[in-house]
Structures are given as structure tokens and as C-alpha cells.
Amino acid sequence: PPLNDESFLKYWNGRSVKELFDLTAKTMPADSPASLRASSYLDVLAYIFQMNQFPSGSDELDPERLDRIVIEKTP
């Protein structure tokens, strides 16, 4: 699925970063899902957010707090 266009935002807007993290971990890499460290999946999320021009935060993504972060793109 597209990761940096309106369809990504349409699908993920209002959902938690934890949902995206869980999906990423369950499906990547395709030949060995859930085989990477949490930090690698967090790097993937950071890249996806960068590609969608989300502002960078001052802190690194924390796996324990992902459920409290909502994906929202404001105009």
C-alpha cells in the first residue's frame, strides 16, 4: 500500500501510531515478519512520517507511548 500519499492519510488519519507499529511488525519484512527489533520498526515509522511531511518531535518514538500518539495531518 502507498505510504506517502493521500490514501495513506485517509486510511491512517485518527488512528494510533501503535496500530501502524503493530501492522508494520506483523508484516515486515515480507519473508520473515516480526523478526526485527522494535527499534528497527520505529525507524520505519519515523521514515514513513518523514515521507508524509509530519513534523519531527524532540523525542524519539517510545514503544510504550505509541498508543497515545494519534496520526493527524492538518492542512
Side-chain angles (χ1 to χ4, degrees):
L3 298 176
N4 68 335
D5 66 3
E6 288 302 315
S7 61
F8 170 84
L9 295 173
K10 187 175 186 178
Y11 182 80
W12 288 102
N13 193 50
R15 300 176 83 171
S16 75
V17 174
K18 174 80 166 119
E19 291 178 80
L20 181 56
F21 177 89
D22 289 345
L23 178 67
T24 303
K26 288 178 188 175
T27 60
M28 290 182 64
D31 61 345
S32 184
S35 63
L36 304 176
R37 295 185 323 261
S39 62
S40 295
Y41 293 112
L42 292 173
D43 289 343
V44 170
L45 295 186
Y47 178 75
I48 290 170
F49 295 144
Q50 178 186 13
M51 294 300 297
N52 282 286
Q53 300 176 351
F54 283 89
S56 297
S58 57
D59 298 327
E60 291 189 26
L61 292 172
D62 178 353
E64 300 299 318
R65 297 176 28 201
L66 296 180
D67 59 335
R68 293 183 238 152
I69 304 170
V70 176
I71 299 169
E72 293 182 319
K73 184 71 172 186
T74 55

